[in-house]
Structures are given as structure tokens and as C-alpha cells.
Amino acid sequence: MSAPSLGTVWRASLRRELTLIWRSPADIVQPLFFFVVVVSLFPLALSPKPALLALVAPGAVWVAALLAVMLSLDGLFRRDQESGALDLLLTAPVVSVVPVAAKLLAHWLLTGLPLALIAPLLGYMLQLPVAVLDTLMVSVLLGTPTLTVVGAIGAALTVGLNRGGILLAVLVLPLYVPVLVFGAGVVRTALDGLPTGGLLAVLGAILALAVSLGPVAVALGLRISAGD
Amino acid sequence: MWKTIKRWYHQLGSPRYFYRFCEAVLPWLVPVSLALLAVGLVWGLVYAPVERYQGDSYRIIYIHVPASSGALMGYIAMGVAGLVALVWRMKMAEVMLKALAPFGAVLAAVSLLTGALWGKPTWGTYWQWDARMTSMLILLFLYLGIMALQNAIRDPRQAARAAALLAVVGVINVVIVKYSVEWLNTLHQGATLKVVGESSIDASMKWPLLISMAGLWLLYAANVLMRARTEVLSRERRSGWVRRLVRGGEA
Amino acid sequence: MDAPRLTVRQLGCERDHRMLFEYLDFSARNGEIWQVTGANGAGKTTLLRILVGLHGFYQGRVEWSAPLSPSLLYLGHQPGVREELTARENLEYSRALSGQTGDPDAALAALDLYGFEDVPAGRLSAGQQRRIALARLWLDGKDVWILDEPFTAIDQHGVAALDQRLRQAAEQGVLVIYTSHHRVGDGVQRLHLGEDIEVAR
């Protein structure tokens, strides 16, 4: 009978996912708000001394961004699952990787990308030298898509379970270690005045791996959660 | 050769054959592993010579190294079992995956504990964020994640498949974690025991280490087979051979 | 008579240590309407999920004579409608995803949703949300319909229209399999799940 072209499905899915997030602005604003709040806790907890803050700033910004992405993913598939739309996606006559990838892209565009865009501002507030703010932004820009894709695997596997939040953190945070190490590491390297090209390339390589294999794993995770 | 592997794969893929395999192997696997472990540990802890720089404290390697390697091998085995379970939908791979997790997690914990005890006299602190300790900590987290996920999903087959996907992703991750923490920090001594090539450890210390390592690995295998056997019986409880078995017959 | 589109052999499914059903045997052809009945918890939804390939843990065989997914129109227990999207957006998405053809607005109008096309589904009643999902039955391009409780939450008028639509589709060669507790009409094959599985023609 009739099967749609991949292009049609990709466009329709991307439009739908962007519309969905756009119509619940809390999903965009709250991760950003969380990011800002967590980062501003550090000077309060440690000390407002600029020298100390600049030292912990790369790690603080990165940990906050990582948690913001992870928390935003908890609901990634939940409403689709509860409404039955996920079953629609899984029984469609196209490989589910395509609509899943559209969902991940839309989510990153409206959550990960804004985080990367305000990261320099938060770095500045934590007394990072202006010269390394661009490195901070690029590192978050390269890291957040990986965080989104890897976290989505966890979200897919926990979608039907009621205790999603903490379980998701337990599954996903250990998987976030390499991105955190290299992401914050790039910024510290820049702080030391050393070249960062190699480390950015490593972040890029991890990103390429995550983006190429991740959506397949997410789609598989959704199938498993559906009961297949 | 290839044919033999294929036959094994198919036979062990059958729950009933697997059960009979366990029944045949376990009665000698458990005593052999315990005996090897005992010989290796007593030799290593009591009779092996004192190390030149570290004194007696080095003797913890007779527990630490087997536990660390067992934890790592166990996780890699889970990744392989996970891949087989996902790609070929092989039920026994799901069973093995589930059976591998608990003992592996315990070994990772033992490795961290003994590492800390060793760290005190050598580094002067119980805990260092060095590459290997950190990797082992992350490995323990990954084990606990797999067990938490399995625990949270009610349907045993669905739980096993979910864990399979997580294990495959986790194995890829372990490799990257290793490189990332090595880059972060290099303080630990390099590998002293090499399977191929010359090892920098004296034979009088090496033999007890190899023996206790073999003992612990075999004990791990025995534990896995026992857990898998129970799981197989639970999964196959409706089949004719399990019913006959319960009534006291042959499997 | 042509070969069966669907053949089910010795199908059994276990949930939470309980057999939902066992030794289920039937075959269905294009142009037939099958109603699956049974008490709550008899496994009706699970059976449909097995048939469409969403549930993979079962014993026995499920065989479709041709690949199912290009032909399949599946309506799950939940309607698959997102409240943030309008009626038309919901329908257009499912249409694009499944590769159906036909005019969404006409389909919505056939289900008395004319004038509600641009209203977010969240502001419509439960019955109207079901109708958005059911509107897919008024689009074209699918000849195996698997519907989980399609008659739930819609009024008498809607029930009559849906019943007529199912019969009309069957006449055009669609295989319809649906679950429902109530109403057995004429010319419908019945599959009862329960203590004794019963297949009646």
C-alpha cells in the first residue's frame, strides 16, 4: 500500500516537534532558568573571590549545563507515550530513526542551543577572562548535542516507568563523564593559554559518534519500552 | 572450528541444553575455582616474597588485580551479550546479561576498596582521582545503573532487553571514559602484568597472581551459571521439561 | 477464496506470571471484519499490540501475507492526539507519518469536527479527541485496520457513522480487526478471549 518518503516524514516530524515545544514555552525557559540558578549558587557556596571563581568556573558552568540538559530530557517522550502518539510513530511504515532524529534535533535547537548561547554570560559572571568565553561557548555548543542524544537513550528506556527522574540520572550521568571531562577540560586548557584545537576535535569526534549511532539506539530503546 | 562454534551457539541458546550444561559443569567448577583462589591467595599473601619498594602492602594485588580485571571483563561480556540479545533476539543472551551484573558490581566495589587500602601506604591517601580508580568508579556506576534499570522494569524480558541496550552503550562509553580520565590525570603506575611480552613482575610473584586471577574468574563464571540457571527455570516454568524436573524427573 | 492476509498459530502471551491467552488460532482475510471481545484484562489490547508488532514477547506465530507496515492503520488504546496541537495538525502529522492520502479537512468534517480544525485538541472534549484519531479512517491508502476500542467515548450518532464506515471499508477489501466489549453486529467474525477462547463466524 502506501509508504511516505523519508523527506516528507522528516519535514512533518520536525515541524510537529518544533511546534510542540514552541507551544509549551516552559520547556524552553525552565532549563535556561535552571542553568542560571545553579551557576549562581556557586559563588554563594564557595566564595565570591574572583581568583577562586575563575578556577572553578569551567566545571561549574559545565556541570550546570549537563544537569539542565538531563532534566529537560525526562519529559522528552513522556507526553507522546501517554497520549499514544509514540505507538503511531513506532508502527509507521518508515524507520523510526527519522522521526526520532527530528525530535532530538528540535529538542536540541530549543534547549541545548540556548544553553550554549547564554553560557558565555554565566562564564563572565563567574569571572572567566573574556578571552576564553568563546571557547566556553564552542565547547558547550559541541557538547550539548551529545548530552541530548545520550540522555535520550536513557529517556527512551525509562519512558513507561513512573519513577523516571532519579532513575534517568542514575543511568545517564555515568555516560556523561567523557563529555564533561573534555568539555570543561577545553575551557581550562584555554585558561592556561594552551591550544584547544585538539580537544575541540575530540569533542567533535564524540559528537559525530553520538549523532550517527545515537538516534538508532534511541529508536531501539523506544521499541523496547513499547514491549518489543 | 567455525562449525563447532555455531553448534555450541545453538545448543547453549536452548534453555534446556543450557540447564543440562550447568548441571554438568557446576559441580566441579565451584570447587575448582575455590581451590584455585585459596591456593593463589595463600601463596600470594603468605609465601610470595616481599616487594622491594612497597613491602608487604603490595600483596593486596592478589585480590585487587583479579577483582579489577574481573569487573572489567564482566562488563565487556555484558556488552557482548547485550549485542547478541538485541541483534539476534537470543533469549539466553538476555539471561546471561542479567546474571553477569551482580557479581561484576561486587568485584568493582572490591577493586575500589582494595585499591583504597593499597593507596594509603603507597600514595598516603585512601582516595586519589587517578585514571584507574576513576574509571573503576564509573564502571561501578554503570553496573549499578544496569541493575537499577532491570529492577525498575516489571516484565523480565523487557527488563533484559532494556539492560542489553544500556550495556552496549555503556561498553562504548567505558572506552571513551578510560581515555578521558587518562587525559585528565596520569599518576597511576602502568600495567605490570602483561599476557604477551615480558612482564616486569618476578615469576615468584606472578604465579600466585595468575592462579588467584583464574580462581576468581572461574568463581565469577560459576556465579553467573548459577544465577542464569535459576532465571532459566523461572522463565521456562511452563515448559514440559521444567515440569518434569519439578516432579523429580530428568531435564 | 484468496489466501488469508493474517494467520495466527498457537499464539500465547504471558503477562505478570499469568497467561493472558494460549493456543490462539485464527486466520483473517481482506474484506473481513473481526471483533475481539473479552473481559477487562483478557488481553485484547495486548493481542492487537502483538498483531501490529509493538509487543514482541509471545509464543506461537503471527504471519502477515505481505509486509504489514505499509498497509497498517493502527489506532491504539490511547488516541495518539497531542493536546498542544490543533485537530488539523494532529491529523496531518499522522497522515504524513503513515503515508495516507486524502483531504484532512474533509475527514474531520465527516466526524462532525467542521469548524474545530484549528482548535488545540486540549480544548476539545474526550469524545472529540477520539474523533480526531478516528478521522484517519476517512483518509485513504491503508487496507489493514487494527483498532483498539474505536467505539469508546463517542456518541450514538458517531457510533452509527463509524459502524457504517467499517462496513463500507470491508466491502472495499479492507481487513478490519477491532476490540470492543459490546455490540456484535451481523456479518462480523468474533474472537472471544477468556477462559475458553472462542472463534465464531
Side-chain angles (χ1 to χ4, degrees):
Chain A
M1 294 296 288
S2 48
S5 75
L6 292 183
T8 313
V9 173
W10 171 256
R11 278 189 300 275
S13 301
L14 196 57
R15 188 184 313 131
R16 169 191 189 256
E17 304 301 342
L18 288 170
T19 313
L20 277 174
I21 307 176
W22 195 248
R23 291 214 182 130
S24 41
D27 289 353
I28 308 172
V29 175
Q30 279 171 3
L32 281 176
F33 182 60
F34 176 90
F35 187 36
V36 175
V37 170
V38 170
V39 167
S40 35
L41 291 180
F42 280 89
L44 304 177
L46 295 167
S47 137
K49 281 190 196 133
L52 178 80
L53 282 181
L55 208 62
V56 297
V61 172
W62 256 96
V63 168
L66 179 149
L67 291 176
V69 171
M70 190 199 74
L71 290 174
S72 75
L73 288 170
D74 187 36
L76 184 62
F77 301 110
R78 180 144 304 140
R79 270 175 279 177
D80 270 344
Q81 197 251 355
E82 285 165 355
S83 70
L86 207 51
D87 291 342
L88 213 66
L89 188 156
L90 293 173
T91 51
V94 283
V95 281
S96 16
V97 174
V98 176
V100 163
K103 198 171 189 65
L104 296 178
L105 176 61
H107 187 271
W108 179 77
L109 282 175
L110 295 180
T111 326
L113 184 60
L115 290 177
L117 294 179
I118 64 160
L121 180 69
L122 295 175
Y124 184 79
M125 283 168 68
L126 290 186
Q127 315 291 343
L128 272 184
V130 177
V132 304
L133 290 180
D134 55 340
T135 311
L136 176 67
M137 189 169 85
V138 173
S139 75
V140 178
L141 206 59
L142 282 175
T144 43
T146 309
L147 298 179
T148 303
V149 172
V150 172
I153 300 173
L157 288 174
T158 54
V159 65
L161 312 171
N162 289 327
R163 39 178 159 163
I166 291 282
L167 181 60
L168 180 66
V170 170
L171 302 187
V172 162
L173 288 181
L175 300 176
Y176 278 179
V177 167
V179 178
L180 177 69
V181 168
F182 287 118
V186 172
V187 185
R188 276 188 294 123
T189 310
L191 262 181
D192 294 342
L194 299 169
T196 55
L199 286 173
L200 286 174
V202 171
L203 267 183
I206 296 176
L207 169 67
L209 183 71
V211 167
S212 55
L213 295 181
V216 181
V218 176
L220 187 59
L222 289 172
R223 284 209 78 85
I224 290 171
S225 281
D228 185 22
Chain B
M1 169 72 180
W2 178 239
K3 261 191 181 157
T4 321
I5 293 176
K6 231 174 144 178
R7 203 184 68 228
W8 264 54
Y9 178 88
H10 282 293
Q11 282 180 339
L12 286 179
S14 134
R16 188 176 169 188
Y17 184 89
F18 176 81
Y19 181 84
R20 289 201 292 217
F21 174 78
C22 290
E23 291 295 276
V25 164
L26 277 173
W28 62 263
L29 188 59
V30 175
V32 164
S33 65
L34 288 175
L36 280 175
L37 198 57
V39 169
L41 286 182
V42 171
W43 187 353
L45 295 181
V46 183
Y47 297 107
V50 175
E51 211 259 356
R52 201 181 331 161
Y53 302 106
Q54 303 187 14
D56 273 329
S57 69
Y58 92 97
R59 291 181 195 276
I60 199 115
I61 62 163
Y62 295 112
I63 304 169
H64 178 74
V65 173
S68 313
S69 58
L72 188 63
M73 286 304 295
Y75 200 83
I76 293 170
M78 284 210 303
V80 173
L83 197 66
V84 173
L86 291 177
V87 176
W88 291 286
R89 300 190 72 103
M90 185 189 176
K91 281 192 206 176
M92 281 312 304
E94 297 171 5
V95 172
M96 294 307 270
L97 179 100
K98 188 179 176 191
L100 278 159
F103 204 90
V106 169
L107 288 184
V110 167
S111 158
L112 286 175
L113 217 71
T114 51
L117 289 177
W118 193 11
K120 184 67 182 170
T122 19
W123 298 329
T125 169
Y126 286 112
W127 188 260
Q128 279 262 358
W129 289 96
D130 89 303
R132 292 214 221 154
M133 293 285 268
T134 313
S135 298
M136 190 51 71
L137 185 67
I138 306 296
L139 190 66
L140 177 63
F141 290 163
L142 288 170
Y143 267 117
L144 295 180
I146 297 245
M147 287 162 72
L149 182 64
Q150 273 181 334
N151 206 25
I153 301 176
R154 220 165 22 153
D155 186 284
R157 293 211 56 196
Q158 190 179 340
R161 288 179 65 74
L165 179 61
L166 191 62
V168 172
V169 176
V171 165
I172 300 174
N173 188 65
V174 163
V175 178
I176 310 177
V177 164
K178 195 175 169 305
Y179 283 110
S180 70
V181 293
E182 261 171 19
W183 170 80
L184 188 69
N185 189 341
T186 33
L187 187 111
H188 212 289
Q189 42 191 287
T192 45
L193 183 75
K194 294 175 201 133
V195 180
V196 200
E198 254 178 78
S199 25
S200 53
I201 181 171
D202 189 74
S204 58
M205 297 178 183
K206 183 172 73 176
W207 278 108
L209 181 58
L210 286 176
I211 290 172
S212 56
M213 191 131 88
L216 193 65
W217 284 32
L218 288 181
L219 190 66
Y220 191 179
N223 182 271
V224 168
L225 290 184
M226 280 193 263
R227 284 175 190 280
R229 183 177 59 168
T230 315
E231 175 82 6
V232 161
L233 286 181
S234 157
R235 281 183 176 213
E236 300 287 314
R237 66 189 171 282
R238 284 176 200 283
S239 66
W241 68 269
V242 175
R243 288 177 189 207
R244 276 199 300 283
L245 192 73
V246 172
R247 275 191 246 109
E250 287 266 309
Chain C
M1 207 178 212
D2 41 327
R5 182 78 171 87
L6 165 66
T7 311
V8 171
R9 287 284 166 262
Q10 297 289 298
L11 186 67
C13 184
E14 187 184 338
R15 262 270 163 99
D16 296 328
H17 296 241
R18 187 171 66 89
M19 284 313 278
L20 288 175
F21 45 80
E22 227 173 342
Y23 311 121
L24 188 59
D25 271 295
F26 69 97
S27 51
R29 293 176 163 75
N30 281 99
E32 291 179 346
I33 302 180
W34 282 76
Q35 182 187 19
V36 182
T37 59
N40 289 328
K44 301 189 293 293
T45 294
T46 306
L47 173 63
L48 295 198
R49 289 177 72 82
I50 290 174
L51 294 183
V52 301
L54 279 174
H55 190 84
F57 306 141
Y58 57 84
Q59 301 126 38
R61 291 207 319 258
V62 174
E63 284 163 10
W64 294 93
S65 63
L68 174 65
S69 74
S71 308
L72 174 67
L73 195 167
Y74 171 63
L75 181 68
H77 202 65
Q78 304 298 327
V81 169
R82 283 293 297 262
E83 299 193 336
E84 301 91 329
L85 300 177
T86 68
R88 186 191 287 117
E89 284 166 344
N90 269 302
L91 187 58
E92 277 183 342
Y93 171 66
S94 54
R95 188 179 79 135
L97 203 57
S98 62
Q100 283 189 283
T101 49
D103 177 13
D105 281 357
L108 289 171
L111 280 154
D112 297 334
L113 287 169
Y114 178 75
F116 292 99
E117 294 92 340
D118 294 317
V119 179
R123 281 196 232 141
L124 298 174
S125 73
Q128 284 172 313
Q129 290 189 23
R130 296 279 317 176
R131 282 164 185 263
I132 297 174
L134 286 170
R136 295 166 57 206
L137 308 187
W138 272 260
L139 297 175
D140 309 314
K142 300 286 157 181
D143 72 350
V144 176
W145 295 5
I146 296 189
L147 317 171
D148 200 348
E149 300 290 347
F151 292 103
T152 303
I154 52 172
D155 57 29
Q156 261 184 344
H157 175 64
V159 168
L162 178 57
D163 189 55
Q164 200 197 350
R165 176 68 187 147
L166 297 187
R167 283 163 197 284
Q168 184 193 349
E171 274 165 29
Q172 291 161 2
V174 174
L175 165 60
V176 181
I177 302 175
Y178 69 91
T179 59
S180 184
H181 309 282
H182 47 96
R183 306 172 10 92
V184 176
D186 303 328
V188 172
Q189 331 267 357
R190 189 163 157 272
L191 172 68
H192 182 75
L193 299 179
E195 288 296 304
D196 306 297
I197 288 170
E198 197 183 320
V199 182
R201 306 216 143 209

